[in-house]
Amino acid sequence: MITLQRRQMVGHDILLARHGNHISTMRVDRSAGRVVAFLDDGSTDSAPNLIAPGLRMPDTFRSVLREDWKFLTGVSALGVALSGLILAASTALAGLSSDPAMAQLLVTYSGS
């Protein structure tokens, strides 16, 4: 079961455990995968944002789209093709029928 939740930044917790109230500001260095803390005495400290590099993080909406975009595109294309097929079949059915009420029903239904 996919759970879409925000990824936890463990670097914040590590730095808070190390320095507590002596942290003045923190920032996330996404390119390095680390959190950098600026301390009251002017020094800096950093901590990794992952506990282990191979750790499987919870899925987010973006990660699901990034990993499954081909599947989702295929399902969407299949839905569009199926709806087009149903529309063509109903049009053909109305054309084959000599009953004008069937053609009128199709025209009325399409226009709504």
Side-chain angles (χ1 to χ4, degrees), residues 65-89:
L65 287 179
R66 185 174 46 247
E67 293 171 5
D68 298 334
W69 70 270
K70 289 180 183 178
F71 173 73
L72 295 172
T73 303
V75 168
S76 299
L78 184 65
V80 168
L82 185 61
S83 65
L85 183 64
I86 290 172
L87 182 64

Side-chain angles (χ1 to χ4, degrees), residues 90-91 93-95 97-110:
S90 66
T91 304
L93 181 64
S97 174
S98 60
D99 186 14
M102 181 72 88
Q104 184 64 30
L105 179 67
L106 180 65
V107 170
T108 305
Y109 180 72
S110 311

